Amino acid sequence: MARNPRASQTVNICIVGQSGRLQYEAVLFAASLRRKTRAKRFRLLIAEPQPGPLWPNDPRIKDTGTRALLESFDAEFVPFESKHFGAAYPYGNKIEALTALPEGEPFIFFDTDTLITGDLNRVPFDFDRPTASMRREDTWPKLELYGPGYTQTWKSLYDKFGLDFESSLDTSWPDEYWQRYLYFNAGFFFYKCPKLFGDLFLKYALEIRDNAPPELVCQSLDPWLDQVALPLVIHALGGGRDALPEGYLDGITTCHYRVLPLLYAREPNKVVDLLEEISAPNKIKKVLKLYDPFKRMIYQGRGHKVRAMFDRKDLPRKEQAIRNQIKREGFWMR
């Protein structure tokens, strides 16, 4: 595989860390990053929301053992203020967290429920052309009988922000089929500057939330607001679905597992092996066992019981079907 031509460029990797599930996911992320990516140019920043009126409780990681463990992986905590979303829409963290990153330096945002499974230094990033995860399903919009179709819904957003709709389309797919339209999962995204990206992301998200075009009247924006705004941001900044060669992120180099039961159900053996390898050291086990779903899935064997339920070569086509089967057997934990 080709090595990134900008191999000496410092890159800020950002995840959101806060009390609860995310702090334990952050431990797995940091441990996997340091296991698989040795290059010092990748700097791990943990964006941490601060207490304020939009949080009923202090969202910071209060456990000193977890903080010390993360810092042992060379993670740096960077605080940010929640001015627009907070507890009412925690997915907005990934938008407001960008304000904590160094301006003018390239960044990669990852959802915390991600493992680094390969060397990021070998990924041919072009930070001038942003993109995001193509590991997605047709989760938005949900079309209503007699309501606007995909074209009318998406075009209303492009028109609202003065963007060229036609150039965003993948015309290899038929009209009114969801993959024709630019849509990403927000599990990762990257660009050359967090301020340029974040300012536009925030502007679009707030305008869609507070003043959506009438074509969206029947559409839910919770939890989809970030994923509705994201393709508009990427398109406006000159990126797109082809800005990163296929097979790297959400492929050989990263795994966005979402929840541990899904990881055990569908991911390849190398991902399960990595998870159990990095979670085995006592200093990590001591922290992760504080979180009951991790204790039961990883250390008490429930993950392998979930794994035995599925044939990785013949998985249900829809993620929801996998989730439902796990729930029926009583193994769904998050």
Side-chain angles (χ1 to χ4, degrees), residues 261 265 297 302-310 321-333:
M297 279 285 147
R302 290 194 182 185
H304 284 280
K305 291 180 180 179
V306 170
R307 194 158 183 80
M309 293 165 51
F310 297 92
I322 301 175
R323 290 172 177 255
N324 290 343
Q325 189 170 339
I326 296 171
K327 290 174 181 178
R328 282 197 299 271
E329 297 299 323
F331 290 130
W332 187 259
M333 304 191 77

Side-chain angles (χ1 to χ4, degrees), residues 177-194:
Y177 183 69
W178 72 273
Q179 291 195 62
R180 183 180 178 89
Y181 308 90
L182 196 62
Y183 188 56
F184 300 101
N185 182 279
F188 78 79
F189 49 86
F190 61 79
Y191 190 51
K192 64 183 179 182
C193 175

Side-chain angles (χ1 to χ4, degrees), residues 65-78:
T66 302
R67 297 187 77 91
L69 182 57
L70 288 167
E71 289 170 345
S72 76
F73 293 121
D74 297 322
E76 302 173 45
F77 287 90
V78 291

